[in-house]
Amino acid sequence: MRILLTGAAGFIGGTVWGTLEARGHEVVALDALIPQAHGTTSGKGADERIHRVDVRDAAGLRGLLTGVDVVCHQAAMVGAGVTPADLPLFAGHNDLGTAVLLAEMSSSGIDKIVFASSMVVYGDGRYVCPEHGDQPATARSIEALEAGRFEVGCPVCGTAMGWALVDEDARLLPRSSYAASKVAQEHYASAWARQLPGSAIGLRYHNVYGPHMPADTPYSGVAAMFRSALARGEALRVYEDGQQTRDFVHVDDVALVNALAVERVVALAPDTFTAYNVCSGEPVTIARVAQLIAAATGEERLEPTVTGQYRSGDVRHIVASPQRAREELGFTATVAPPDGLAAFAEAPLRDR
């Protein structure tokens, strides 16, 4: 198939590109190469096959959509997005960009899209009280955090709750500008699929890591921040008690699930939108992530330190269910976090 790939110069997009080509697909690569994502030298040394087009540029998109069977949309402004001042940045690149892309696809007769969403659409994870069962997460008070009581309390009895797997039917509760833009992308894709009608698959990435991940930028996840600290010869510092739980998924597996979704979306009936968690299915604590990465260096002086410090807006636990992606896309992660994170300790990073 002929596939238009947006964000093709990025950490994830570049890996998706290679996987799609390895599976016999023809890729039309597009990237705006914006400084926020690619540094002040944006465009220098970029693959000459990349078309430098912003997805908000309808005219630029139009010429690249000819003969395309499926669009694989990875382009996005990413980051924490924790202040109201960030709203125009994320709305402009992610919301408007996706809306323009979908409109131009419609005009070009293309009715299939796979796009990058994120676990951040869920906000908090899923919590279970031993006595009262599933309960909504409530904000952890500063007093509790100061006292080292890090677990989310049951809103009925106050008992510390444990985590449970979040599936794709969980409510969406964005807690940042970036998260709100990802929810908006899903809603635009769902509305587009209904109106055209077309078929859309949204891939809710959990914590992606791997070689050539951006180093030490606002767009890096905790794994890259740990990796960058080690490169500076600094011991890793872990917040809270280190028992925060996440799912870390290797970029090679993210690329694989994109290829599977691209091949699946062409068989879907019109007026279809489906979201999938993209995860390893092997939950890991942040303390364990730090230990795996630090231990791989073989230097005892870099042993992680659990600080007890906290950030009031952090989510305590969010762990995904891999079931729907396994059953409907045939996706099972191939890189286990203990292996992938240990290898990541010495993997090359990119400046942006």
Side-chain angles (χ1 to χ4, degrees):
M1 291 186 292
R2 183 177 174 88
I3 300 162
L4 177 69
L5 174 64
T6 74
F11 161 55
I12 294 174
T15 310
V16 172
W17 185 354
T19 298
L20 289 173
E21 288 193 330
R23 294 173 74 94
H25 300 296
E26 177 188 357
V27 174
V28 179
L30 175 158
D31 201 296
L33 297 167
I34 59 175
Q36 293 96 324
H38 299 281
T40 55
T41 57
S42 295
K44 294 184 179 179
D47 192 309
E48 62 182 12
R49 295 173 294 169
I50 293 174
H51 298 274
R52 189 166 185 171
V53 175
D54 193 309
V55 290
R56 296 169 295 181
D57 176 6
L61 286 172
R62 209 164 295 145
L64 299 178
L65 287 167
T66 302
V68 164
D69 299 297
V70 180
V71 170
C72 186
H73 181 33
Q74 305 296 315
M77 179 65 66
V78 299
V82 294
T83 69
D86 295 326
L87 283 165
L89 183 68
F90 290 101
H93 284 276
N94 299 352
D95 300 3
L96 178 59
T98 300
V100 171
L101 175 62
L102 292 169
E104 288 306 313
M105 288 173 61
S106 301
S107 298
S108 300
I110 301 166
D111 61 356
K112 309 291 182 184
I113 187 170
V114 172
F115 67 96
S117 186
S118 170
M119 69 174 189
V120 297
V121 299
Y122 298 121
D124 294 292
R126 179 181 166 203
Y127 297 87
V128 179
C129 172
E131 182 175 353
H132 298 101
D134 273 57
Q135 293 293 326
T138 55
R140 297 180 293 170
S141 69
I142 296 298
E143 291 76 15
L145 294 170
E146 286 284 352
R149 298 194 303 273
F150 298 120
E151 296 296 350
V152 176
C154 172
V156 179
C157 65
T159 301
M161 296 192 292
W163 60 263
L165 295 177
V166 178
D167 66 25
E168 291 86 350
D169 294 326
R171 67 173 182 167
L172 306 185
L173 189 64
R175 292 171 38 154
S176 68
S177 306
Y178 172 62
S181 74
K182 283 298 174 183
V183 171
Q185 284 184 292
E186 291 199 10
H187 288 169
Y188 279 123
S190 178
W192 169 88
R194 186 175 303 111
Q195 292 169 347
L196 190 59
S199 305
I201 289 176
L203 299 175
R204 293 174 180 166
Y205 301 160
H206 284 250
N207 293 268
V208 185
Y209 71 97
H212 307 294
M213 189 175 187
D216 224 9
T217 76
Y219 311 104
S220 297
V222 66
M225 294 170 67
F226 284 165
R227 174 68 178 76
S228 297
L230 291 178
R232 297 191 299 268
E234 300 172 1
L236 305 186
R237 296 176 62 81
V238 180
Y239 283 0
E240 300 186 15
D241 58 359
Q243 298 308 298
Q244 313 93 301
T245 312
R246 301 288 189 273
D247 191 299
F248 285 78
V249 59
H250 196 277
V251 68
D252 288 349
D253 283 322
V254 174
L256 171 60
V257 77
N258 269 278
L260 292 172
V262 162
E263 292 160 5
R264 167 69 174 164
V265 76
V266 295
L268 293 179
D271 189 8
T272 301
F273 168 74
T274 309
Y276 295 94
N277 286 327
V278 175
C279 58
S280 71
E282 296 187 29
V284 62
T285 66
I286 298 300
R288 180 63 174 151
V289 173
Q291 290 164 357
L292 287 165
I293 294 175
T297 68
E299 296 190 45
E300 291 185 3
R301 65 185 180 86
L302 300 180
E303 185 71 19
T305 299
V306 177
T307 67
Q309 295 174 307
Y310 63 87
R311 293 175 294 196
S312 60
D314 280 358
V315 173
R316 177 62 175 173
H317 305 293
I318 182 163
V319 181
S321 169
Q323 182 175 349
R324 182 184 290 180
R326 181 173 58 244
E327 292 178 352
E328 297 183 13
L329 297 179
F331 169 71
T332 300
T334 62
V335 182
D339 299 328
L341 289 165
F344 183 60
E346 296 183 343
L349 300 179
R350 56 193 281 181
D351 291 335
R352 288 288 180 94

